[in-house]
Amino acid sequence: MVSLQDLLQQSRQLQGALTPAGAPDLHRSLEQVANRSLKLAERSVREQSMRGPLAASVETTAQSFLASAGFNSEALKHDLDALDITRSLDAVRPAADMDVPAFLDNEHDNLVMAALEETKTHTAWDAECLVQQALNAEWEATRLRFCSELDLAPASSAATAMDVTTTAGITSAAAMGSRGLGASPASAAQPGFAAPLTAKDQAYIRALTALNESTVRDDMLVADGAANADLVADSRAATLAHGGPASATLASLWDLTHTILAPASSAPLQYAATYLSPAAGRGDDSARAQLLHAFMSRARTHLEAGFYAMVEDTIQRQPKAAMAGGDPDVVPRVAAFVRSRFFKNYTWDLPAPELNGDEVPFWAVAFYLLRCGKRAEALAYLRDNVQYMAENTFPQYLAEWIDGNLTPELEGQIRTYYTELLVRAKAADHRNALAAADVSAAAAAMAVDAAPAAGVDPYKLAIFKLVGRCDLANKKLDQIVGATEDWMWVRLMLASTADDKYTPLDVQAEVAALEAYFANQPPLKYVHMLVTCGLFEKAVTQLAKTDDMKGEALHLALALHHYGCLRIPANPVDPVTMQLDLGVGSGAGANRATGPAYVPLQTLIAQFIATKLAADHAAQLQYLVRLPHYALAGNPKYTAVGPAGPAIAAEYAAWRTDAYRKAVAWVRTGSNASPIEIAPAYLFLLGMADMVEFQSQIVAEAAQLARDEDALEDAIFLFAQCNDTPSVFECLIQALARAFDQGPHMLVSSASLPGTDLPPGAREGLSSGTLGGVLYAADHVINYFDSLPDIVADWKATGAGNGVAEAALKDRAHRLAQLRTTAKLLRDLVYVQSLASTPAQEGMALDALRGTELVPLNGNAPLDRFVDRIRQVPAEVQACVPRLLRLTMDLLARAHRQAVANRLNDDAAQYRAAARQVRAFAGLVPIKMEAQLHAMLAQKEVEMSAKF
């Protein structure tokens, strides 16, 4: 394997070997390639599906031509600007009154000039778009070729979504034959290329599989979160095991999500009723506002735990500077952290620190105890150092704050003292500024106001600001250097739903406004902040915009969606809702320009299936069953949703319909597999009672879809699974009639042409392209559905006959008997054609033809009886009569030729008499036939008489 260094050297050598004359005119820098690849990754599935194959071919040809020709957009713009259309036309001549030709010429010139001017406006832009698309197409082709050379074949997921039973019911694979009634090989064909399924992707699929299977037990939704599989924790484990360079950061994101959602104590759709309610406004103390504040409190707890872990790590890495000793208690550990961070050269590197008897800045220690989430320890520590502080009553305020009992009056007293403390400090700074320099009082005041207060411990000011929510216009902690997490933690500490001074919505608005600031930074950094403040939709959108994190975006969305913390569009099939909303959200789901109003979960799932699971049919079901999650909120078994369940289910009812539509396509594309038996958990997640309902709604529609697509073998297989025996025979009759009248090749799809690799046994079906394969499949169907009483019993046992009167069942059985008779008759005709295609089998073919009793083959046979027989057969058989007459006459001619050659005069005379009967019969048949057929029959009869 060539190393990256060797590859770089070889590319440089290749670049040096290229001469300017041999290099193409169109150059691409690494930045251009990166931009093009990013734009390529942002293509939506809908745009790809809307492209017609012919249009795509023509467009690609035009794009490649422009790119290979070295298109110069700047030169084109210059040429267009320099183009003077008036010089390309004849001089405008004044038109005399009533000079109609001159008037028409002028109008023609005006129209031409207007069209050219309009074309000039769009030519440059259209050309650039074509070149850009050509670059994308070329990059895609190169990428596919590169993956192909590296043999990056699509991997198969170990996850299984179905319990396939091969012995139960009417659709048993063993009873129906090895693929004899399976889908056509065309449906088994896989896309030409799918992105490789990485180990991390497989781990994600296993995590989702575990969630799907643990959510339902005994036909009930498991409300105990601890009993459910933890999708968030499993995704974190998958990230750490296979996440690559960003695994630690991604694991931290999953940890944060786990803390916020609290899966162990949360049931499916636990938060749906509250989170999906209309957005809260400023000062709103609704349940939704309280939920958002609770999420932020959990996120703050996560930040505090992370900071304490950093404190421990700092002490371990700098034991000498920390001088922690062996005391494991929290306060000595945090004090050691403060010492290692700020005690330099035997002095404290802090502005105006207030020290206790141990010469330790106790306000700083108390602040970092709060930062670590150790509030009780911070209170006890300040009480131990109360003799060193001027504000000896502050621990009482802190105690009330910790217990959540800090009243607005007490909070106001803290703010008043905080303001007075700042005023005194600023006044002293003002006097010092005037004394230190010869400046005006106004200039000194401006300089003092712009600078932090001197002479006051900044950590004391910070604690007062956090506890009393002071100076909310300036949430910066002066002279305390902090990271992004500290900036976020301060805002989470200050946010409250008790008033509208600074609410959780204000936090969200501040974080949403930072998108441009984080544009050039690692995306996960901003996503952390978005998840921390509860902007889940914007967080998923940001991840989805990153090419190598689309899988994380989907599974984060699925985790949020599972607990009801993700807004999705009400109509999943609206083209507008299929696109990632990168702009400002609007409507009930958007809060003051804080991000997208919803996440197109249906698009994320479709993209993941198309790019990762195209070759893994079983794993696709794991994602499809998640679609109707909100639409089932009205189910009484979803106990965690509460009274709001029916309203949520009604709002998202379209998702259930869309899930069923996708399930139909899923069954249709996988109809070449064994008979489908969906596990009860997946049926429950789809909103279905049992397998009978799945067969009647999904499998039956998939079968009809296969029938509409003319995939008759797939249709037979699927109709058999849903116990629609009449439709099985209708499809079989259609296939046999086509095989007889047009040839068996008409049942062959493009994927099963000779030379194509097919699964074992696929050649023995309707789409095998041979009469023998057609007969093999027909015999399987006819023999299996041989007992009508058993078929009726199956209808009743499987529920297909529920609610149907006994007389109706008898009528259905009678109809089935007629269809079976028609299928056997057409099967016999195909058998005759099969014998006729074999040399020296004319006699056997004619004997088999006599058994059908459709054509008179005896010289003295009454023609009326055969004409009546043709009138009584179904239309499918009548359509085969012209072909049957041609085949019969051809067999008689061949048999007559053989009898003449062997000097069997009596046999030859019988064949001639039969030929006369056939020709006469053709004139009496009540079916319109071409004159060429009658001419052919007469010609054959004359030839037989002449040869004799």
Side-chain angles (χ1 to χ4, degrees):
M1 189 68 181
V2 180
S3 65
L4 292 179
Q5 186 65 28
D6 295 335
L7 188 62
L8 176 62
Q9 290 296 118
Q10 294 177 13
S11 64
R12 288 176 176 173
Q13 294 174 4
L14 177 62
Q15 180 66 26
L18 289 175
T19 61
D25 296 332
L26 187 62
H27 297 284
R28 304 174 190 83
S29 64
L30 291 177
E31 182 180 2
Q32 287 174 319
V33 172
N35 291 336
R36 300 303 185 217
S37 62
L38 287 176
K39 291 181 179 179
L40 174 64
E42 293 174 3
R43 287 181 180 175
S44 66
V45 174
R46 182 176 66 88
E47 292 174 342
Q48 293 293 336
S49 63
M50 291 176 63
R51 288 177 171 268
L54 179 59
S57 176
V58 175
E59 185 178 331
T60 303
T61 303
Q63 295 163 4
S64 302
F65 174 76
L66 284 175
S68 62
F71 171 71
N72 190 332
S73 61
E74 296 299 327
L76 177 62
K77 293 178 182 178
H78 180 270
D79 294 340
L80 289 174
D81 293 337
L83 177 62
D84 186 1
I85 299 176
T86 59
R87 292 184 299 178
S88 303
L89 300 174
D90 296 335
V92 178
R93 300 181 300 278
D97 294 339
M98 305 302 292
D99 188 356
V100 176
F103 172 77
L104 294 178
D105 289 341
N106 286 340
E107 286 299 310
H108 174 266
D109 291 346
N110 290 334
L111 290 174
V112 171
M113 292 175 64
L116 291 176
E117 286 291 345
E118 183 69 19
T119 304
K120 281 178 56 178
T121 305
H122 301 286
T123 297
W125 170 253
D126 291 342
E128 286 188 353
C129 290
L130 283 174
V131 172
Q132 178 179 344
Q133 294 171 9
L135 291 174
N136 292 340
E138 183 179 343
W139 164 250
E140 181 70 10
T142 303
R143 184 176 68 86
L144 295 180
R145 185 170 59 254
F146 177 75
C147 293
S148 176
E149 291 175 356
L150 293 181
D151 195 21
L152 296 178
S156 177
S157 173
T160 57
M162 302 179 297
D163 293 335
V164 179
T165 59
T166 58
T167 58
I170 194 171
T171 58
S172 170
M176 299 296 282
S178 174
R179 290 192 180 269
L181 293 179
S184 64
S187 64
Q190 300 296 343
F193 178 83
L197 195 61
T198 64
K200 182 173 65 173
D201 295 329
Q202 296 183 23
Y204 280 150
I205 297 172
R206 288 193 294 270
L208 185 61
T209 302
L211 176 67
N212 291 337
E213 294 178 349
S214 65
T215 302
V216 182
R217 187 178 301 119
D218 298 330
D219 197 28
M220 287 291 295
L221 191 73
V222 179
D224 183 8
N228 291 334
D230 192 338
L231 177 62
V232 181
D234 292 343
S235 299
R236 177 187 182 275
T239 298
L240 286 177
H242 314 288
S247 58
T249 310
L250 282 172
S252 176
L253 176 62
W254 287 116
D255 283 337
L256 173 61
T257 307
H258 193 275
T259 302
I260 293 175
L261 297 179
S265 58
S266 302
L269 295 180
Q270 175 80 35
Y271 310 107
T274 305
Y275 186 86
L276 300 178
S277 61
R282 290 182 59 84
D284 189 358
D285 196 30
S286 65
R288 189 182 184 283
Q290 293 294 338
L291 177 64
L292 181 59
H293 188 258
F295 284 164
M296 291 188 179
S297 298
R298 296 175 186 176
R300 189 199 69 238
T301 303
H302 175 80
L303 294 179
E304 292 169 347
F307 189 87
Y308 186 68
M310 187 272 292
V311 167
E312 290 288 350
D313 182 67
T314 301
I315 294 174
Q316 293 178 6
R317 287 188 293 105
Q318 303 177 14
K320 184 176 181 180
M323 295 182 290
D327 195 341
D329 291 342
V330 173
V331 174
R333 307 295 289 176
V334 174
F337 167 76
V338 173
R339 188 179 299 107
S340 66
R341 192 167 188 177
F342 300 110
F343 194 64
K344 312 293 182 183
N345 299 322
Y346 302 98
T347 184
W348 291 101
D349 187 15
L350 290 170
E354 295 187 23
L355 307 179
N356 59 12
D358 297 330
E359 296 296 319
V360 175
F362 60 90
W363 286 112
V365 174
F367 173 83
Y368 284 110
L369 283 170
L370 292 177
R371 180 66 181 86
C372 293
K374 311 298 182 182
R375 299 190 176 189
E377 289 81 356
L379 175 61
Y381 182 73
L382 286 180
R383 283 174 173 171
D384 293 340
N385 291 275
V386 68
Q387 67 270 26
Y388 302 108
M389 64 178 71
E391 305 81 1
N392 53 13
T393 60
F394 178 74
Q396 301 176 15
Y397 290 85
L398 182 62
E400 296 294 324
W401 176 74
I402 292 174
D403 294 336
N405 299 323
L406 190 64
T407 64
E409 292 75 16
L410 296 177
E411 195 174 274
Q413 293 175 13
I414 296 176
R415 283 197 292 269
T416 300
Y417 182 78
Y418 177 86
T419 304
E420 293 176 353
L421 190 63
L422 281 181
V423 169
R424 288 200 304 268
K426 291 292 185 181
D429 293 343
H430 185 229
R431 290 193 298 271
N432 294 334
L434 287 175
D438 186 13
V439 295
S440 65
M446 291 179 60
V448 170
D449 290 340
V456 181
D457 192 327
Y459 287 97
K460 178 168 70 174
L461 289 177
I463 292 177
F464 274 69
K465 176 179 285 190
L466 295 176
V467 175
R469 301 177 73 220
C470 307
D471 193 16
L472 292 177
N474 176 26
K475 292 176 281 295
K476 179 181 178 183
L477 300 182
D478 292 330
Q479 303 183 69
I480 298 179
V481 179
T484 303
E485 291 79 6
D486 301 313
W487 183 94
M488 195 76 235
W489 176 78
V490 170
R491 279 147 183 82
L492 297 180
M493 290 281 285
L494 295 175
S496 173
T497 58
D499 54 44
D500 62 350
K501 295 177 181 178
Y502 190 69
T503 68
L505 294 182
D506 292 307
V507 180
Q508 290 186 336
E510 283 191 60
V511 174
L514 297 176
E515 182 175 358
Y517 174 78
F518 285 96
N520 296 323
Q521 300 191 31
L524 285 176
K525 193 170 186 179
Y526 187 45
V527 172
H528 269 82
M529 297 185 67
L530 294 172
V531 174
T532 300
C533 66
L535 288 175
F536 301 136
E537 292 78 19
K538 192 173 181 65
V540 173
T541 301
Q542 290 292 325
L543 272 180
K545 290 164 57 178
T546 306
D547 185 41
D548 57 347
M549 294 185 184
K550 293 186 181 296
E552 281 71 20
L554 170 59
H555 292 89
L556 176 61
L558 289 174
L560 296 167
H561 182 248
H562 178 68
Y563 297 105
C565 294
L566 188 75
R567 293 187 189 86
I568 57 178
N571 185 6
V573 297
D574 185 354
V576 177
T577 68
M578 295 179 183
Q579 303 301 312
L580 286 173
D581 185 2
L582 305 182
V584 175
S586 60
N591 292 337
R592 297 189 300 161
T594 52
Y598 52 77
V599 169
L601 183 63
Q602 73 277 32
T603 299
L604 295 180
I605 290 178
Q607 288 177 341
F608 189 78
I609 290 178
T611 58
K612 296 289 187 178
L613 302 180
D616 195 340
H617 185 257
Q620 294 174 13
L621 187 63
Q622 304 295 339
Y623 295 87
L624 296 181
V625 297
R626 305 305 309 181
L627 291 172
H629 194 45
Y630 285 177
L632 302 178
N635 191 328
K637 297 176 182 178
Y638 281 65
T639 56
V641 185
I648 296 175
E651 182 179 359
Y652 297 99
W655 282 79
R656 185 173 184 176
T657 304
D658 184 57
Y660 288 2
R661 181 179 60 84
K662 289 182 169 62
V664 169
W666 177 79
V667 172
R668 172 69 188 93
T669 57
S671 56
N672 62 303
S674 301
I676 299 173
E677 183 70 26
I678 306 297
Y682 297 96
L683 293 172
F684 184 93
L685 293 174
L686 284 172
M688 295 185 170
D690 49 31
M691 194 62 194
V692 173
E693 184 179 358
F694 182 85
Q695 290 172 342
S696 62
Q697 292 194 32
I698 305 301
V699 180
E701 189 171 345
Q704 187 59 47
L705 177 63
R707 186 175 185 176
D708 295 340
E709 294 174 351
D710 213 26
L712 297 177
E713 190 168 20
D714 287 353
I716 292 173
F717 183 75
L718 293 172
F719 277 128
Q721 291 189 58
C722 53
N723 297 301
D724 189 353
T725 315
S727 295
V728 171
F729 276 103
E730 288 173 358
C731 293
L732 179 62
I733 289 170
Q734 185 179 352
L736 290 172
R738 184 180 305 171
F740 177 78
D741 189 48
Q742 303 177 23
H745 64 280
M746 296 302 296
L747 301 177
V748 181
S749 61
S750 59
S752 59
L753 294 175
T756 305
D757 292 333
L758 295 175
R763 289 291 181 189
E764 299 176 349
L766 292 177
S767 58
S768 62
T770 64
L771 292 172
V774 174
L775 288 171
Y776 179 87
D779 287 340
H780 269 283
V781 176
I782 295 172
N783 293 334
Y784 184 79
F785 297 104
D786 184 45
S787 175
L788 293 180
D790 292 343
I791 294 174
V792 175
D794 284 335
W795 289 343
K796 294 180 178 180
T798 58
N802 291 343
V804 181
E806 190 69 24
L809 286 176
K810 290 183 179 179
D811 292 341
R812 187 176 183 183
H814 178 68
R815 167 65 176 161
L816 182 58
Q818 292 178 333
L819 291 173
R820 186 174 181 275
T821 301
T822 303
K824 291 182 65 176
L825 182 57
L826 286 171
R827 181 265 175 206
D828 292 341
L829 293 182
V830 173
Y831 177 63
V832 170
Q833 189 176 28
S834 175
L835 292 174
S837 62
T838 305
Q841 296 292 333
E842 294 83 0
M844 292 183 62
L846 290 172
D847 290 340
L849 191 56
R850 289 187 183 91
T852 65
E853 298 182 352
L854 291 175
V855 181
L857 293 179
N858 296 324
N860 56 355
L863 297 182
D864 294 343
R865 180 170 63 87
F866 289 94
V867 172
D868 292 339
R869 165 80 164 152
I870 294 298
R871 286 196 181 99
Q872 295 172 3
V873 297
E876 294 85 356
V877 180
Q878 290 181 356
C880 297
V881 169
R883 171 66 179 168
L884 177 61
L885 293 174
R886 187 184 298 271
L887 177 63
T888 302
M889 187 61 77
D890 184 67
L891 284 173
L892 290 172
R894 289 163 50 188
H896 180 266
R897 188 182 308 113
Q898 188 71 19
V900 172
N902 295 331
R903 299 183 182 277
L904 302 175
N905 297 335
D906 293 341
D907 292 345
Q910 292 179 7
Y911 293 140
R912 288 195 301 274
R916 285 192 297 271
Q917 286 284 80
V918 170
R919 184 177 63 82
F921 173 69
L924 299 176
V925 170
I927 298 175
K928 184 178 180 179
M929 292 181 287
E930 298 179 355
Q932 294 179 353
L933 176 60
H934 291 284
M936 175 265 183
L937 297 178
Q939 181 182 357
K940 288 288 185 180
E941 182 191 359
V942 172
E943 290 177 355
M944 292 169 64
S945 299
K947 289 181 180 179
F948 183 76

